[in-house]
Each structure stands twice: as C-alpha cells, then as structure tokens.
Amino acid sequence: MSTSLPHLVIFFITYHIHKLESAEFRVMGLGHPVTAILGENIVLPCHLSPRISAENMEVRWFQSEFTSFVHLYRHRKDEYGEQMPEYRGRTELLKAGITDGNVSLQIVNIRSSDEGQYHCFVQDGSFYEEALLELKVAGLGSNPLIFVESHQDGGIRMVCQSAGWYPEPKVLWRDLSGQELPSLSEAKSLRDSGLFETENSIIIKERSNQNLSCLIRNTVLNQEKESTVYIADSFFPRVNPWMVALSVILLVLFGFIGLTVYLFKIKDLRDKEISKYHCPCSDKNVFKWWRRSVAPTEEVNVTLDPDTAQSQLVLPEDGKSVRWGDTWQNLPDNPERFDSRACVLGCEGFTAETHCWEVEVGDGELWAVGVARESVRRKGWISLSPEQGIWAVGQCGGQFRALTSPEAPLPLSQVPSRIRVCLDCDRWQVTFSDAGDGAPIFTFPPGSIPRERIRPWFWLGVGGSRLSLCP
C-alpha cells in the first residue's frame, strides 16, 4: 500500500491533466431550427464555451461535405478559393465578437436552396469540436387572386391563385362565419425559382354563403394571406343563363370605359406638365426631350479601373468591359481593390458639372450600374445601398430594381439592354434612362449624393454576364 499510493496519486493527476487538455472548449449552436425569410439575411449563431478567442483558430461552416465549405476562416482571414459557388459573395463570418468566442455566420439574400443542416466546425491545433444547426427557409407569396372561371354543376366555379411561396403552402376556402369549405381541385407547381405556385378551385351554388374567402398559409412561419369576394345572385345561372353572361359583359364593358377615361386623363395631365416647359419636341421625341432637360448630354469616356476590380472580375486591356471569371485571379490585395463584393469603379471621378455615359447590360440576371463615392468601403461585406455610398439600378432575383433602402422594384415591361447614367454634380443627383428611346427609369432625388468625388460603379453577381461601356 505504501509503495502503490504515490503511483495511484500520479495516475489520477495525469488523468485529470490529460482530460483538461482534451476538453479545451465546446462548440455551442441552437437546440432548435433557425427560420429565414426568402430574400432577407440570416445569422446562424455559434460560439465557444468557455468564451475564449477564436481569432487564431480555424472556423469552417459546411453542410454535408467537409471539403465543400459554405465559409472558411483560418490563418486569421477568410478564404474563398474553394467555397461552394452558390454561396460566393453571400457569406460573412461576424468577426466583431470573435475574440469572445463568437463564430456566427451571416448568409445574405436567402434562397430556398439554402435550407438544410449546417456544421459549425472549430479547430485549434489538433483539438476540434463542432455543432450542428438546422436552417429552415420560408417565403410568403402574393395575395390570393380570386376570380370566376365558369358555370358548373348548377353553380359557379371560383378559382384562387397565388405564387411565390416556400415551402408548399396550405390553401383553405372559408365562408363568412369562418367555416372551412371543401375545395373541388388543387394544383401546386414548383417553378424554376424554387418557389411554389398554387391554384385551387371551388363550386359555389345558389343559397349557399356567397361571402367567400381564400386563405393561403405558410406552415413554417404560421402566417397567412387572405382575400375575400362577395358573389351577387345575378352571377348564378337561372332559367336563362344568358342573363349572367350579359352581366359579365356589361361589367367588362364598364370597366373598359372607365379605364379608357382614366388613361385619357393621365395623358392630358402629362401634356399639361410637358407644356409648362414649352417643349419644342414632337410627341415622338418626348422622352428624349425629357432626358435632355433633366440631364444635359455632356458625354464622358469612362474607363474601368483594374486596381479596384474584385479578383473574380476579368477586364480587357482597354478597360471598356467587365465579365465574371470562373476562378479567382492572383491579383495584389491593394487598398483600392474590392475583396468580397464583385465590384469595379471607373477611373474617372467627378465633383462638378453634369456627366453622362451609357452601359450595355445584355440579358444577364445579376448586375447593377450606377455611381459610388470614391471613399466607398472596399474590404469586407457591403450592402449595395445609398447608406454604403452606392446609388444604382440593377437586375437581381429576376426583378429590375432601384438599389434604394429598402430596394424599390421598377415596373418596366422590359429591362433595357442599354442604360444611360447621368450624374449632376450641381444638384447632386443621379438619373437613369433607357439609352434606346430615352424613357426615364429612375432618379435619386437632388441632394441624395454627398458633395465629394463621385466615380462610375459596376457590379456583377455570381455567373453574371458582361457589362460593356458604349462608345
């Protein structure tokens, strides 16, 4: 006993020291799923316990494959070389709390394909731990559209349509008292965008409750959208179904007359507004006159600055176009270069007078053109908004938008293939118009741009096509 006691003490001391060395920290996530809204930003929370600094550790966020990472931080910097293509330009490790063990990941512009499980993996030397988080994605679609489709089985067939939902929504018909009504048929389809469209029909007969509601519910968010319609007796088929048809025809006719009167009033107001300026143009050239009156045509020869181009952008020697490259180029990480957002600035800068240039945008789905202040942030993740010093319009998520805060959809029937940008440094505003017919697109109000040096600005999203400066 006297000889074995020291050995026993040494064994327990060694065991506890080894146990302490092999349990330096734990990686903590959430015990429940994180829900994100389509098109918005989400933070996947993850931290070390105890809250020690992770500044010199490797932090790897991945889904099913360890080597195919969503985001990688090591050697005290973010590494994007082998990042999954669908996450490029959309992730950021929130380093504000990294010294306190916070290794949370932000994903911007959430898509339906982002849904799933994420591993938060942290390694320090030979020791590593990980936590598993689940991300659920949800999107609210459009308000239900209810309309009369036809007469059927002694009643009228009503149809409810809506689009833009994720995941697959639940559709309910209800009467005035809130009682659920059985539907006749239902069709749901998953579009190329990854969002669901739904069409549901019901037959309403005479003497039934004619106050009808269509409710569409997102089961993840537990939120819903509802539309209500009242069906008059005259719509139901009687002895002579032609009376119903006549009512529908009269309704359409009156609607057409009302729309015609409204359009003539709008035209009259437009003509009066134009006459205030004594416009010498014919109606054919009204839009071109508007463009010249708002922004005089002082053309400038813009050239792209290669020292500012993010490493995935490819510029020819003449600096007159930019396209998305398949790989990251080995370019010097100078202070002027954008490192996260795929942006590039023009060489020219303006502080006075009015300057205009035209950009051919083609038919790409992810791009934006406009202006930025020369002091715009180049490093790390930036939002494309006036708050960050960027004033622009562009195509994103299948929609043409003004990059305001929040973004404003631009209701154009067709996105222009060439856009004219006019910077007025006397009024400190920027105007966008269709370079083809001169039609106005969007104008940031006077005084919205700071009184400092302003440069042309261009952005391409993942897989975006070419942007070219017109002669």
Side-chain angles (χ1 to χ4, degrees), residues 365-398:
E365 294 185 356
L366 292 171
W367 56 265
V369 296
V371 299
R373 60 187 182 190
E374 191 167 56
S375 60
V376 65
R377 180 180 168 190
R378 318 290 176 87
K379 305 300 181 184
W381 185 261
I382 58 174
S383 64
L384 308 183
S385 65
E387 286 77 8
Q388 292 287 336
I390 296 169
W391 296 264
V393 298
Q395 178 88 354
C396 182

Side-chain angles (χ1 to χ4, degrees), residues 105-399:
L105 180 72
Q106 176 174 256
I107 305 177
V108 304
N109 191 18
I110 287 294
R111 307 168 181 171
S112 59
S113 58
D114 295 335
E115 188 170 69
Q117 291 187 331
Y118 290 77
H119 296 257
C120 176
F121 174 91
V122 183
Q123 181 172 359
D124 184 18
S126 61
F127 180 81
Y128 62 86
E129 281 282 350
E130 68 175 305
L132 189 63
L133 292 88
E134 183 176 0
L135 175 63
K136 288 186 175 295
V137 177
L140 289 176
S142 58
N143 289 322
L145 173 64
I146 306 176
F147 60 91
V148 177
E149 185 175 66
S150 63
H151 290 95
Q152 184 175 337
D153 299 335
I156 57 175
R157 181 187 178 102
M158 305 294 296
V159 176
C160 176
Q161 289 182 343
S162 183
W165 294 85
Y166 191 86
E168 183 176 325
K170 184 177 182 180
V171 183
L172 298 174
W173 291 98
R174 299 196 300 198
D175 60 16
L176 181 61
S177 63
Q179 185 71 28
E180 183 176 341
L181 302 174
S183 60
L184 176 66
S185 65
E186 182 176 10
K188 295 176 183 176
S189 59
L190 186 63
R191 312 303 294 176
D192 293 339
S193 61
L195 306 181
F196 284 91
E197 289 186 2
T198 180
E199 179 175 300
N200 197 296
S201 63
I202 190 173
I203 294 179
I204 301 298
K205 297 185 177 181
E206 193 173 5
R207 293 183 300 277
S208 65
N209 197 317
Q210 296 165 219
N211 287 279
L212 187 65
S213 295
C214 177
L215 180 145
I216 304 182
R217 177 180 298 141
N218 185 300
T219 55
V220 175
L221 299 175
N222 199 24
Q223 297 182 27
E224 56 195 34
K225 291 191 175 183
E226 184 175 11
S227 295
T228 303
V229 66
Y230 174 78
I231 308 166
D233 287 339
S234 58
F235 280 88
F236 289 91
R238 296 182 184 274
V239 176
N240 186 357
W242 289 104
M243 294 301 296
V244 176
L246 179 61
S247 300
V248 174
I249 291 172
L250 289 176
L251 182 63
V252 173
L253 179 60
F254 285 131
F256 177 76
I257 293 174
L259 178 62
T260 304
V261 172
Y262 172 76
L263 292 176
F264 271 106
K265 286 184 178 180
I266 292 296
K267 181 179 183 301
D268 184 57
L269 289 174
R270 187 200 67 177
D271 293 342
K272 288 180 180 179
E273 187 67 22
I274 291 174
S275 66
K276 292 179 183 179
Y277 297 94
H278 306 290
C279 172
C281 314
S282 65
D283 287 341
K284 182 179 179 180
N285 296 317
V286 154
F287 281 141
K288 292 185 178 180
W289 165 82
W290 176 88
R291 186 176 72 181
R292 292 196 299 270
S293 65
V294 173
T297 55
E298 297 182 18
E299 308 294 336
V300 291
N301 186 19
V302 174
T303 303
L304 301 181
D305 185 355
D307 291 335
T308 66
Q310 194 244 21
S311 299
Q312 284 181 286
L313 297 180
V314 179
L315 276 64
E317 291 185 2
D318 61 2
K320 292 299 182 181
S321 65
V322 59
R323 65 177 177 85
W324 181 273
D326 295 331
T327 59
W328 290 75
Q329 303 175 81
N330 185 18
L331 300 176
D333 186 19
N334 51 283
E336 295 83 11
R337 189 179 308 282
F338 291 93
D339 64 354
S340 293
R341 284 287 201 176
C343 305
V344 61
L345 296 176
C347 295
E348 299 74 15
F350 311 109
T351 58
E353 300 181 351
T354 300
H355 309 274
C356 303
W357 59 92
E358 295 182 0
V359 185
E360 185 173 345
V361 298
D363 57 357
E365 294 185 356
L366 292 171
W367 56 265
V369 296
V371 299
R373 60 187 182 190
E374 191 167 56
S375 60
V376 65
R377 180 180 168 190
R378 318 290 176 87
K379 305 300 181 184
W381 185 261
I382 58 174
S383 64
L384 308 183
S385 65
E387 286 77 8
Q388 292 287 336
I390 296 169
W391 296 264
V393 298
Q395 178 88 354
C396 182
Q399 191 174 48

Side-chain angles (χ1 to χ4, degrees), residues 293-296 298 350-355 422-431 444-452 454:
S293 65
V294 173
E298 297 182 18
F350 311 109
T351 58
E353 300 181 351
T354 300
H355 309 274
C422 287
L423 173 66
D424 187 344
C425 294
D426 297 326
R427 304 181 68 191
W428 294 103
Q429 72 175 24
V430 61
T431 300
F444 286 88
S448 59
I449 297 177
R451 298 176 180 270
E452 60 178 88
I454 303 297

